[in-house]
Amino acid sequence: MFHEVNSLAAILHAHVQKELRAKQFLKNTISDISHQLKTPLAALNIYNGILQDDATDAAERRQFLSLSEQELDRIETLVQNLLKITKLDAGTVVIDKKEEPLYQLLEDMKAHFSFRAKQEHKQIVLTGNTDVTLLCDRTWLTQAIENIVKMHSTTLRRAAVFKSRAKILHH
């Protein structure tokens, strides 16, 4: 009887620890998304100020309006991620993990981004072992990779515009 009580106590302790880690993960993720929202909001404020005060020609206004649209897309993605995490925490979303061939997953992502890469004069090169599999939810992983690429691309474009803008202001 004592052994059964100890076993039950160990199981309950493990369950409590797992729940505490899940809650901490959720807290950290929400905090991270909240922090990430500040960046595009700050950029939108800067773009809006430039459009109101300094953007004199139509091409420059179009450029900042395009950047504003990208930041709004980024905010939308972050809010959608926050909603998904909330659904995950509530248990209303099921993650369907399956063995996926990693190389095929990457080939599909390459095809998905090929047009964008061509527009940006970039090349996507995949190398490595083609026999590796990954236990994952293909849909969620694909979306995560898309989000990373979009955010990285937006950050690079924003940096290029600020560099360009700095040159205009210093002349």
Side-chain angles (χ1 to χ4, degrees):
M1 175 89 167
F2 182 73
H3 176 68
E4 291 172 0
V5 171
N6 276 344
S7 294
L8 183 57
I11 290 169
L12 289 174
H13 179 71
H15 181 69
V16 167
Q17 293 300 313
K18 180 180 175 185
E19 288 297 317
L20 288 173
R21 284 191 303 273
K23 291 295 178 192
Q24 187 62 43
F25 171 77
L26 180 62
K27 180 181 172 186
N28 291 345
T29 304
I30 290 172
S31 175
D32 183 49
I33 290 174
S34 173
H35 178 72
Q36 289 181 44
L37 281 168
K38 293 176 185 177
T39 303
L41 289 172
L44 284 169
N45 280 328
I46 291 169
Y47 299 155
N48 192 44
I50 291 170
L51 286 169
Q52 288 177 345
D53 300 333
D54 300 330
T56 54
D57 67 4
E60 190 176 21
R61 281 193 301 274
R62 279 192 302 276
Q63 180 181 23
F64 283 103
L65 287 171
S66 175
L67 287 169
S68 293
E69 183 178 1
Q70 291 168 18
E71 294 302 333
L72 289 170
D73 289 343
R74 184 175 177 193
I75 290 170
E76 181 181 3
T77 298
L78 289 168
V79 170
Q80 290 299 326
N81 290 344
L82 186 58
L83 292 173
K84 287 175 189 168
I85 288 169
T86 304
K87 288 179 182 179
L88 277 172
D89 185 56
T92 58
V93 173
V94 177
I95 295 180
D96 185 24
K97 290 183 182 178
K98 295 179 186 172
E99 287 285 331
E100 296 284 347
L102 183 59
Y103 195 78
Q104 185 59 52
L105 183 81
L106 294 174
E107 281 290 340
D108 292 348
M109 293 302 297
K110 179 180 176 181
H112 178 77
F113 286 108
S114 65
F115 179 75
R116 180 185 204 150
K118 187 175 181 179
Q119 283 183 315
E120 295 177 7
H121 307 288
K122 296 177 182 173
Q123 183 179 9
I124 302 171
V125 178
L126 301 176
T127 61
N129 187 342
T130 59
D131 298 330
V132 175
T133 60
L134 184 64
L135 180 63
C136 66
D137 183 309
R138 184 182 184 95
T139 303
W140 280 79
L141 183 60
T142 300
Q143 186 170 12
I145 293 169
E146 286 177 7
N147 291 343
I148 291 168
V149 170
K150 285 178 187 175
M151 283 190 207
H152 177 71
S153 181
T154 299
T155 302
L156 290 177
R157 276 194 298 274
R158 189 172 50 243
V161 167
F162 282 127
K163 185 177 178 183
S164 170
R165 184 74 183 151
K167 287 180 184 176
I168 292 170
L169 294 175
H170 285 62
H171 282 109

